[in-house]
Amino acid sequence: MRALLPALGALSLALWSPSAWSQVVCTTCEGCTNALASPDAVVELGRDIAWSGEGACVTIRGANTVFEGLEHAIRSRSAGRGEGVRVLANGANVLNVHVLDTQDGVVVDGAERVTLFHDSLQVRGVGVRATRARGLRVSRGLILGGAAGISFGA
């Protein structure tokens, strides 16, 4: 039995890794973008964000990341400009995010195996713009307004 205890201790340390379970809460476009630059990051949106509408508010560059919106909104202060979320990394997950008053809601550009789940996109242009986005999954979302719900490019 005594010989088994060290082995069980090592097993419990292997199963619990702080980096695998740690989450970051972001409250700004820049803070979210920085946190989502690392692979395997789990990032929660801590509150609604209103930003200038220039470029993308949040850009995901880290592979296999999770961006959990917790039903908070990303809103452009320049109605009809910018992108709520831009995904450039394979295996990214964008969950429960509301994007309001932007040109495009979520743009997936050159990323594979991306999942958009339960996102609400109320935009002026395109809800989801996908270019070179093999394996894109869109599930249980809501897209309102704009010229197109989902646009697939080459």
Side-chain angles (χ1 to χ4, degrees):
M1 182 69 159
R2 286 184 183 212
L4 185 59
L5 288 177
L8 288 175
L11 177 63
S12 68
L13 287 176
L15 292 175
W16 184 81
S17 167
S19 63
W21 295 101
S22 62
Q23 300 180 172
V24 173
V25 176
C26 63
T27 57
T28 65
C29 297
E30 182 179 7
C32 294
T33 296
N34 290 341
L36 290 162
S38 300
D40 303 311
V42 178
V43 178
E44 292 182 351
L45 185 55
R47 63 177 173 86
D48 292 352
I49 296 176
W51 102 107
S52 68
E54 295 299 319
C57 176
V58 175
T59 300
I60 300 174
R61 289 189 169 87
N64 305 312
T65 54
V66 175
F67 181 41
E68 169 58 71
L70 298 173
E71 307 297 336
H72 290 295
I74 296 171
R75 179 186 304 269
S76 172
R77 284 192 294 250
S78 301
R81 298 192 60 190
E83 305 161 353
V85 179
R86 177 172 276 271
V87 181
L88 304 173
N90 294 340
N93 299 279
V94 180
L95 317 171
N96 305 306
V97 175
H98 297 260
V99 178
L100 308 171
D101 299 327
T102 61
Q103 175 63 28
D104 296 331
V106 177
V107 175
V108 181
D109 188 5
E112 298 181 2
R113 301 177 325 279
V114 171
T115 299
L116 308 178
F117 179 79
H118 200 255
D119 298 312
S120 176
L121 311 171
Q122 298 178 40
V123 301
R124 306 280 174 105
V126 177
V128 177
R129 185 180 299 277
T131 306
R132 300 180 319 273
R134 193 174 311 195
L136 173 64
R137 291 179 295 265
V138 180
S139 180
R140 297 186 184 182
L142 175 65
I143 301 172
L144 298 172
I150 300 176
S151 171
F152 293 99

